[in-house]
Amino acid sequence: FSHELLIEVEEDYCKNLKLNRPQWTVLCQDVRNFSGKEYRGKIDLLSGGVPCPPFSIAGKQLGNNDDRDLFPEMLRLIDEISPKAVMIENVRGLLDKKFDEYRNSILTALDNLGYNHHIQLLNASDYGVPQLRPRVIIIGIRKDLEDTFTFPQPDHNTPPTVGECLKDLMGSNGWLLLDTWVKMAAG
């Protein structure tokens, strides 16, 4: 995929995105004020992580009664843009029994918008990322397309440590990592 547009409301996040991905078009605005109509039929994948606090066990779990719930906005954009595929990410709390009705309404809305849907809990550490980050992933494939989507199988190898992932980068900037210090002290 090539990136077409990213929408983010937090100004500091926008600055960081623009700094790290200067070739990306980043709109720093509330997605509720964005219309996707000009992108209709031009986007292959619409992906987004809607805010997690409404469904997080670390929060009040107000779900659709939380002003930060942007699932309705995601569904609006899917309707306006009609991408070939959709990927929505959220916290594992979305799978809690208390959200069964709301989660099913989201899946029904996808169905009514013309998408087959797939939903699964994945953990980043099962795919080689040095982080325990369980996330609910919802995939939608437009019904006029062949739907052969399957979730990737977990890599059952032990994920690398953060230090292993950053060692070359940090070393190129003159940093010594703790494992290097330990080896030096022991040697």
Side-chain angles (χ1 to χ4, degrees):
F1 295 99
S2 61
H3 177 269
E4 185 66 24
L5 176 69
L6 187 137
I7 304 165
E8 172 57 56
V9 71
E10 296 291 337
E11 190 172 325
D12 287 340
Y13 301 169
C14 292
K15 288 177 186 175
N16 194 31
L17 287 162
K18 290 175 182 180
L19 177 68
N20 287 289
R21 298 287 190 269
Q23 71 280 15
W24 284 11
T25 302
V26 178
L27 292 181
C28 196
Q29 70 179 63
D30 190 326
V31 73
R32 290 175 272 221
N33 300 322
F34 175 79
S35 171
K37 292 177 182 175
E38 74 175 271
Y39 294 95
R40 186 164 189 83
K42 299 176 184 174
I43 301 297
D44 293 319
L45 173 65
L46 173 63
S47 67
V50 298
C52 299
F55 308 97
S56 174
I57 59 171
K60 296 180 182 177
Q61 287 195 305
L62 298 175
N64 61 322
N65 293 318
D66 190 315
D67 291 340
R68 297 168 292 183
D69 173 27
L70 293 183
F71 272 105
E73 295 302 320
M74 177 59 96
L75 294 168
R76 175 186 60 82
L77 289 173
I78 293 167
D79 188 32
E80 290 177 358
I81 296 170
S82 188
K84 292 178 181 176
V86 175
M87 183 180 78
I88 308 169
E89 173 266 339
N90 209 272
V91 292
R92 89 166 39 173
L94 183 65
L95 296 177
D96 287 356
K97 184 157 184 58
K98 72 184 296 176
F99 298 122
D100 282 354
E101 186 176 327
Y102 188 57
R103 185 179 59 254
N104 288 332
S105 75
I106 293 166
L107 299 177
T108 298
L110 277 172
D111 185 58
N112 291 338
L113 289 170
Y115 290 83
N116 293 316
H117 54 77
H118 310 265
I119 182 170
Q120 189 165 321
L121 179 67
L122 303 178
N123 194 330
S125 65
D126 291 334
Y127 300 93
V129 178
Q131 184 179 35
L132 293 175
R133 191 165 180 86
R135 288 295 184 261
V136 173
I137 305 295
I138 301 171
I139 301 294
I141 306 293
R142 220 171 50 204
K143 290 180 181 180
D144 64 325
L145 303 171
E146 183 179 0
D147 183 359
T148 60
F149 178 81
T150 58
F151 283 98
Q153 293 300 309
D155 174 359
H156 295 291
N157 295 322
T158 302
T161 66
V162 173
E164 289 168 336
C165 289
L166 296 179
K167 185 175 182 176
D168 291 341
L169 176 65
M170 294 177 77
S172 70
N173 289 316
W175 289 60
L176 294 175
L177 299 179
L178 181 59
D179 68 336
T180 304
W181 283 79
V182 171
K183 289 176 189 168
M184 289 173 52

